[in-house]
Amino acid sequence: QVRLVESGGELVQAGGSLRISCATSQLDFKTYTMGWFRQAPGKERSFVAAITWSGASTYYTESVKGRFTISRDNAKNTVYLEMNNLKPDDTAVYSCAAALGVVSAEAVHYNYWGQGTQVTVSS
């Protein structure tokens, strides 16, 4: 059974940094595009970042460009999201997802999802 498990979410002050992780199992990890999505209270889930299977290409939503960095370790079957200069608007549940054969910002293209980790940014 494929599993994606996020970790590392916590309460941080505005301007602070945080790295969240997503460990996968029973997934041919190195063949999947990995993405991060977030859902803030009362809002729809939205795309944050994605990384191709090799790590050669990355994509970000405009609001996090220059602040967030997505990376992956194919030997550890894990994807990361480094978040700097965090803002209260970044408060959300962050979920990782895996997509086979596509690079996409659309949730519908992702085959597997984790349960999410809460990131809260205080002002």
Side-chain angles (χ1 to χ4, degrees):
Q1 181 179 355
V2 173
R3 291 191 68 200
L4 283 68
V5 180
E6 300 90 341
S7 62
E10 62 182 61
L11 173 64
V12 296
Q13 289 189 333
S17 297
L18 193 63
R19 188 179 80 159
I20 56 177
S21 304
C22 171
T24 72
S25 58
Q26 301 301 315
L27 181 74
D28 192 5
F29 182 77
K30 62 183 181 296
T31 67
Y32 280 77
T33 292
M34 297 300 297
W36 284 99
F37 290 76
R38 65 186 178 185
Q39 187 166 18
K43 294 187 177 181
E44 296 289 318
R45 181 171 54 191
S46 64
F47 171 77
V48 176
I51 186 167
T52 54
W53 65 272
S54 67
S57 297
T58 56
Y59 305 86
Y60 300 93
T61 193
E62 193 64 34
S63 64
V64 308
K65 285 181 180 177
R67 300 190 297 123
F68 290 13
T69 302
I70 187 171
S71 62
R72 65 191 295 160
D73 186 336
N74 285 352
K76 295 183 178 179
N77 298 329
T78 300
V79 61
Y80 306 96
L81 187 68
E82 181 79 31
M83 302 180 287
N84 298 311
N85 190 22
L86 282 159
K87 304 175 181 181
D89 283 350
D90 295 318
T91 295
V93 174
Y94 285 72
S95 299
C96 65
L100 184 64
V102 295
V103 179
S104 176
E106 300 296 328
V108 68
H109 293 142
Y110 285 78
N111 308 96
Y112 301 103
W113 291 83
Q115 292 298 309
T117 186
Q118 176 71 48
V119 173
T120 303
V121 184
S122 64
S123 57

